[in-house]
Amino acid sequence: MDIEFVRSRFIKHFDGKTGHIYWSPGRINLIGEHTDYNGGFVFPGAVDKGIMAEMRPNGTESTIRAYSIDLKDRIDFDFHDGKGPHISWARFIYGMALEMEKLGVSVKGFNIAFAGDVPLGAGMSSSAAMESCFGYGLNDIFGENKVSKWDIVLAGQATEHNYCGVNCGIMD
């Protein structure tokens, strides 16, 4: 991933100001495909492909302005409206904002642009990479890094279960 490319899209689609850059890797399974949520053993490993996001508070109480660079798609939504966005990729951002609030992070409105080079649908956890990236960023920007990485992982799993309709295990 190219930081300057993500930054250029963030600047273009928002107010011309920069934010903070976050990155999270995808993963492969050496053993354990579809076993972690059944109590089996797993042996995953991080790869050099991942999700990169630039994020910055936007001064609103709860409006998220999100741009998917890869899909060339933008949505603005209020993450306190109760329904959440209708676009599937935006539900990962929505869910992580709500889950981080449950962990005591005072999430406010923010702008986010993100891109990735994890192949979608290849079993390399592109959604988990998004959730980790977004959660880490929200924890840094709004939470003074008080939430543990393990709790960010659990927030990602809760996002999959509660907002995206995927009953995945912790590895995903």
Side-chain angles (χ1 to χ4, degrees):
M1 289 298 326
D2 181 2
I3 291 173
E4 292 309 314
F5 176 69
V6 171
R7 174 150 287 160
S8 72
R9 303 284 63 88
F10 184 85
I11 289 169
K12 177 182 177 183
H13 289 278
F14 299 113
D15 58 8
K17 297 177 184 171
T18 61
H20 301 277
I21 298 280
Y22 302 95
W23 183 84
S24 183
R27 61 110 181 105
I28 57 168
N29 292 335
L30 299 175
I31 62 168
E33 195 69 36
H34 301 290
T35 62
D36 67 323
Y37 49 87
N38 293 311
F41 294 107
V42 297
F43 189 31
V47 296
D48 64 349
K49 308 280 186 228
I51 300 293
M52 183 179 293
E54 184 155 3
M55 303 170 68
R56 189 174 64 72
N58 61 26
T60 67
E61 190 60 30
S62 57
T63 299
I64 297 175
R65 297 180 183 116
Y67 182 67
S68 169
I69 297 167
D70 299 328
L71 299 175
K72 296 179 176 55
D73 195 10
R74 179 176 165 160
I75 186 170
D76 296 3
F77 61 91
D78 184 326
F79 72 94
H80 285 149
D81 76 357
K83 295 182 304 186
H86 62 281
I87 297 173
S88 61
W89 61 262
R91 296 198 60 81
F92 293 99
I93 301 167
Y94 170 73
M96 286 305 293
L98 293 175
E99 291 298 319
M100 294 303 287
E101 277 194 327
K102 290 178 185 177
L103 294 170
V105 175
S106 182
V107 178
K108 302 291 184 203
F110 61 94
N111 298 343
I112 179 171
F114 67 96
D117 56 3
V118 179
L120 298 176
M124 296 177 70
S125 290
S126 57
S127 61
M130 284 195 304
E131 293 151 0
S132 297
C133 183
F134 303 157
Y136 193 86
L138 293 172
N139 190 34
D140 183 46
I141 293 169
F142 298 111
E144 299 175 347
N145 294 304
K146 67 182 172 187
V147 176
S148 72
K149 290 176 184 166
W150 178 247
D151 285 337
I152 293 171
V153 168
L154 294 175
Q157 183 184 31
T159 293
E160 297 266 5
H161 291 189
N162 300 326
Y163 310 101
C164 302
V166 178
N167 191 21
C168 64
I170 199 66
M171 188 172 63
D172 288 327

